Amino acid sequence: MSSINQQCLRISLLKVAIKITDTTKISQNYILKNLTREAKLLSMLDHPNIVKLYETIQCGTNYYLVTELATGGDLCSHVQNQPGGRLDEKSAKSYTRQLATALHYMHSRDIIHRRMKVE
C-alpha cells in the first residue's frame, strides 16, 4: 500500500462530523465571505470545549468542513430529558463553566460567536 493510501486509511478510521454545503444553493458572495471565514476561524481555535476543524474540502459544487465528532446530542434535548426538564445545580454549574471558558477563549482571540443556542 502506498503512503498516500495508508494516510487516508488512518484518517478514515477516525469518526468525524462533516458539514456539507451545496454551493449551488447559495450566492457566491456568501460562499467567499462566510464559508471561508468559518473554516479560518475554526482553524485558529484549540480548546477542549470547541470542536476541532480537521479539514476543509471543496469538491464539485459541495464544500465540506470535517470536524471533531461531538457525541451525546444537544444541550436542549439533554435538559428536557432531565427530571422536571431542569438540570440539577451541580450539572448546571459544570455546563455553564464549560460554555464560559470556551467563550472567554474565543473572545481572547477576538472571535465572537453570533448564534449561541442550546439546540
Side-chain angles (χ1 to χ4, degrees), residues 76-89 91-92:
C76 185
S77 297
H78 177 67
V79 171
Q80 290 172 343
N81 291 329
Q82 299 305 302
R86 302 175 78 163
L87 292 174
D88 61 85
E89 186 175 347
S91 295

Side-chain angles (χ1 to χ4, degrees), residues 41-101:
L41 294 176
L42 274 174
S43 69
M44 294 169 50
L45 301 174
D46 184 19
H47 189 273
N49 298 325
I50 301 172
V51 296
K52 291 173 183 34
L53 176 67
Y54 293 132
E55 188 73 45
T56 59
I57 302 166
Q58 187 159 8
C59 185
T61 62
N62 288 331
Y63 184 81
Y64 304 88
L65 289 178
V66 183
T67 66
E68 175 181 16
L69 178 63
T71 60
D74 63 83
L75 183 58
C76 185
S77 297
H78 177 67
V79 171
Q80 290 172 343
N81 291 329
Q82 299 305 302
R86 302 175 78 163
L87 292 174
D88 61 85
E89 186 175 347
K90 184 178 178 182
S91 295
K93 283 181 182 179
S94 175
Y95 291 127
T96 302
R97 187 175 299 112
Q98 290 174 47
L99 178 63
T101 58

Side-chain angles (χ1 to χ4, degrees), residues 2-119:
S2 74
S3 62
I4 292 173
N5 288 340
Q6 288 175 351
Q7 175 139 357
C8 291
L9 180 61
R10 271 184 263 146
I11 291 171
S12 67
L13 294 176
L14 181 65
K15 291 185 178 183
V16 297
I18 302 176
K19 178 180 178 180
I20 305 169
T21 304
D22 181 352
T23 58
T24 62
K25 297 182 179 182
I26 53 180
S27 74
Q28 189 66 26
N29 186 37
Y30 179 90
I31 293 167
L32 293 173
K33 183 178 178 185
N34 295 303
L35 290 182
T36 54
R37 179 178 57 197
E38 180 179 9
K40 178 185 172 191
L41 294 176
L42 274 174
S43 69
M44 294 169 50
L45 301 174
D46 184 19
H47 189 273
N49 298 325
I50 301 172
V51 296
K52 291 173 183 34
L53 176 67
Y54 293 132
E55 188 73 45
T56 59
I57 302 166
Q58 187 159 8
C59 185
T61 62
N62 288 331
Y63 184 81
Y64 304 88
L65 289 178
V66 183
T67 66
E68 175 181 16
L69 178 63
T71 60
D74 63 83
L75 183 58
C76 185
S77 297
H78 177 67
V79 171
Q80 290 172 343
N81 291 329
Q82 299 305 302
R86 302 175 78 163
L87 292 174
D88 61 85
E89 186 175 347
K90 184 178 178 182
S91 295
K93 283 181 182 179
S94 175
Y95 291 127
T96 302
R97 187 175 299 112
Q98 290 174 47
L99 178 63
T101 58
L103 284 172
H104 179 266
Y105 174 81
M106 289 173 61
H107 292 174
S108 71
R109 281 148 185 78
D110 295 326
I111 299 170
I112 297 173
H113 196 296
R114 297 182 305 160
R115 269 183 61 206
M116 297 296 300
K117 54 188 178 184
V118 291
E119 292 84 7

